[in-house]
C-alpha cells in the first residue's frame, strides 16, 4: 500500500471513529411556562432514570455517557411530554414536538409516529395494529422496536401477546412495562366479548356512591364510554356519540359515561360545557382500567340486552353497524 492510500485510509478511519464515538446529546428548548421545571430522561421499558435537570433560560442540554442506543421518555415534572432515542449525535426537542429530531433513529421514529397518528385519527384499529406490527418487526433489533412492541401488546389478545413476547428481544420480554401490559391482556381476555360485565364503584354527580351495573338496563343495549375531561380524543368524538344517541335512544339504546383518572369537578365542568345528556359515573379513577384491561381512552364497550359484552374498542360507526344488524333481526 502506498503512503497516500495509507494516509487516506487512516483519515477515513479516524473520521468514522469520531462519528461513531460522538456522545449522545439532546438540546431542549422550551417556552417560559416551563422555566425552572424538572425534566428527566426515563428508560421507556423499565422506567429507570437516565438523566435529569432543570430548565434554565428556556433551555436544557443532556449529554449522556457513551451507551448503546436506548428508547426514552422525556418527562416534565413526572409527565411524559416526548420521546427521545439516546444514540450518538445531537438531537433537538421543543415544547411543540413530541419526538426528538436530528439523528438517524430519532428521525426514523418521528416519521413512523406521524404515520401512526394519522391512522389513529382515522379510527381504524385493524390498520393501526397492522402498522404497529410491521413497525415492530422492521425494528425489532433497534430501540424503535421497544415502542412498537409495547404498543402492539397494549391491544393484542392474550395469545398474541404471549407469542410476541416469546420471540421478543430479552430487554423487551423481561421488561416491567411488557409484564404490566401482559397483565392487562389477561384482564381483557377475562372481559372479552361474550363475557358478563364486571361491576365497579364510582359516584353520582352529588358525590353519593353508585355502581356501574345499576346503569346497565336488562333488555337494552348499553354503550359504555370511558373518557376524561383532559382527553382531546374523548372530547372530539362527543358530537358523534350525541348523534348516535339521538338516532337510537327511542329504540332502546342506553349510554353511560364513565369518567376515569379525572377529578369530579373537571368531569362535571366538561359534562356541562359539552352538553352531555346521558348519565355519567364520576371519580372511578383507575378502577375500570384494572378490571377491563384497556390502556387508553376513549374506550367503548357495547353491552347486550343479556348483560354480556358484545364488543370492545370499536368506533362509533362500527357500534352503530352492530345496532342496525341487531334491529334487522328483530
Amino acid at each position: 500500500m502506498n503512503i497516500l492510500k495509507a494516509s487516506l485510509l487512516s483519515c477515513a478511519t479516524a473520521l468514522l471513529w469520531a462519528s461513531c464515538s460522538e456522545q449522545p446529546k439532546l438540546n431542549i428548548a422550551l417556552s417560559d411556562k416551563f422555566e425552572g421545571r424538572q425534566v428527566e430522561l426515563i428508560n421507556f421499558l423499565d422506567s429507570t432514570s437516565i438523566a435529569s435537570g432543570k430548565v434554565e433560560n428556556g433551555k436544557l442540554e443532556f449529554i449522556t455517557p457513551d451507551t448503546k442506543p436506548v428508547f426514552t421518555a422525556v418527562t416534565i415534572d413526572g409527565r411524559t411530554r416526548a420521546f427521545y432515542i439516546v444514540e450518538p449525535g445531537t438531537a433537538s426537542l421543543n415544547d411543540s414536538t413530541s419526538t426528538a429530531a436530528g439523528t438517524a433513529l430519532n428521525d426514523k421514529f418521528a416519521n413512523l409516529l406521524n404515520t401512526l397518528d394519522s391512522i389513529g385519527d382515522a379510527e381504524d384499529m385493524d390498520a393501526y395494529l397492522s402498522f404497529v406490527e410491521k413497525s415492530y418487526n422492521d425494528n425489532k433489533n433497534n430501540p424503535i422496536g421497544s415502542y412498537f412492541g409495547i404498543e402492539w401488546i397494549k391491544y393484542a389478545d392474550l395469545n398474541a401477546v404471549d407469542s410476541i413476547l416469546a420471540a421478543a428481544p430479552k430487554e423487551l420480554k423481561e421488561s416491567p412495562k411488557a409484564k404490566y401490559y401482559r397483565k392487562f391482556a389477561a384482564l381483557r381476555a377475562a372481559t372479552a366479548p361474550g363475557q358478563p360485565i364486571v361491576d365497579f364503584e364510582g359516584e353520582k354527580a352529588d358525590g353519593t356512591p353508585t355502581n356501574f351495573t345499576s346503569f346497565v338496563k336488562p333488555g337494552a343495549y348499553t354503550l359504555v364510554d370511558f373518557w376524561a375531561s383532559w382527553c382531546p380524543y374523548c372530547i372530539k368524538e362527543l358530537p358523534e356519540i350525541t348523534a348516535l344517541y339521538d338516532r337510537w335512544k327511542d329504540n332502546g339504546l342506553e349510554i353511560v359515561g364513565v369518567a376515569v383518572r379525572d377529578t369530579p369537578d373537571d368531569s362535571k365542568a366538561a359534562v356541562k360545557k359539552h352538553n352531555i345528556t346521558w348519565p355519567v359515573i364520576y371519580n372511578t379513577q383507575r378502577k375500570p382500567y384494572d378490571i377491563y384491561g384497556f390502556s387508553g381512552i376513549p374506550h367503548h364497550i357495547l353491552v347486550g340486552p343479556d348483560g354480556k359484552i358484545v364488543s370492545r374498542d370499536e368506533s362509533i360507526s362500527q357500534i352503530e353497524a352492530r345496532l342496525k344488524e341487531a334491529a334487522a333481526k328483530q
Side-chain angles (χ1 to χ4, degrees), residues 75-215:
T75 69
I76 300 180
D77 290 344
R79 180 182 174 187
T80 297
R81 295 281 184 170
F83 298 108
Y84 163 59
I85 298 171
V86 178
E87 65 171 334
T90 300
S92 61
L93 184 67
N94 60 60
D95 54 353
S96 65
T97 57
S98 60
T99 56
T103 61
L105 287 176
N106 281 294
D107 290 345
K108 182 178 182 181
F109 175 71
N111 289 331
L112 289 171
L113 193 60
N114 284 336
T115 301
L116 185 64
D117 286 344
S118 66
I119 296 172
D121 288 342
E123 297 186 346
D124 186 338
M125 183 53 70
D126 289 339
Y128 187 93
L129 288 178
S130 178
F131 184 81
V132 166
E133 178 181 358
K134 183 179 187 307
S135 298
Y136 168 70
N137 286 323
D138 288 348
N139 295 279
K140 187 184 295 186
N141 297 315
N142 70 60
I144 294 174
S146 299
Y147 178 86
F148 285 102
I150 293 298
E151 194 68 12
W152 191 6
I153 65 175
K154 275 184 183 180
Y155 302 102
D157 64 42
L158 183 59
N159 289 334
V161 169
D162 286 341
S163 178
I164 295 163
L165 292 178
K170 182 178 179 180
E171 59 267 24
L172 174 59
K173 181 190 304 184
E174 299 182 358
S175 70
K177 193 175 287 284
K179 293 175 181 177
Y180 176 82
Y181 285 114
R182 199 272 176 194
K183 180 188 76 172
F184 269 48
L187 293 172
R188 290 196 300 275
T191 53
Q195 299 297 319
I197 56 172
V198 180
D199 203 10
F200 56 85
E201 191 176 86
E203 295 176 359
K204 295 180 181 179
D206 62 3
T208 58
T210 190
N211 288 81
F212 164 57
T213 52
S214 66
F215 291 82

Side-chain angles (χ1 to χ4, degrees), residues 33-71:
K33 68 179 181 178
F34 293 103
E35 189 66 20
R37 305 274 285 274
Q38 186 75 19
V39 181
E40 195 167 13
L41 297 184
I42 302 292
N43 186 302
F44 179 73
L45 290 178
D46 64 18
S47 299
T48 56
S49 178
I50 295 175
S52 65
K54 286 188 176 181
V55 180
E56 296 183 3
N57 298 318
K59 296 180 180 180
L60 181 64
E61 181 182 81
F62 287 122
I63 300 178
T64 53
D66 287 332
T67 182
K68 67 176 183 179
V70 61
F71 197 97

Side-chain angles (χ1 to χ4, degrees), residues 25 73 134 154 173 180 187 198 226 229 234 271 276 305 311:
K25 181 190 295 185
K134 183 179 187 307
K154 275 184 183 180
K173 181 190 304 184
Y180 176 82
L187 293 172
V198 180
F226 297 95
S229 65
C234 301
V271 168
I276 296 175
S311 70

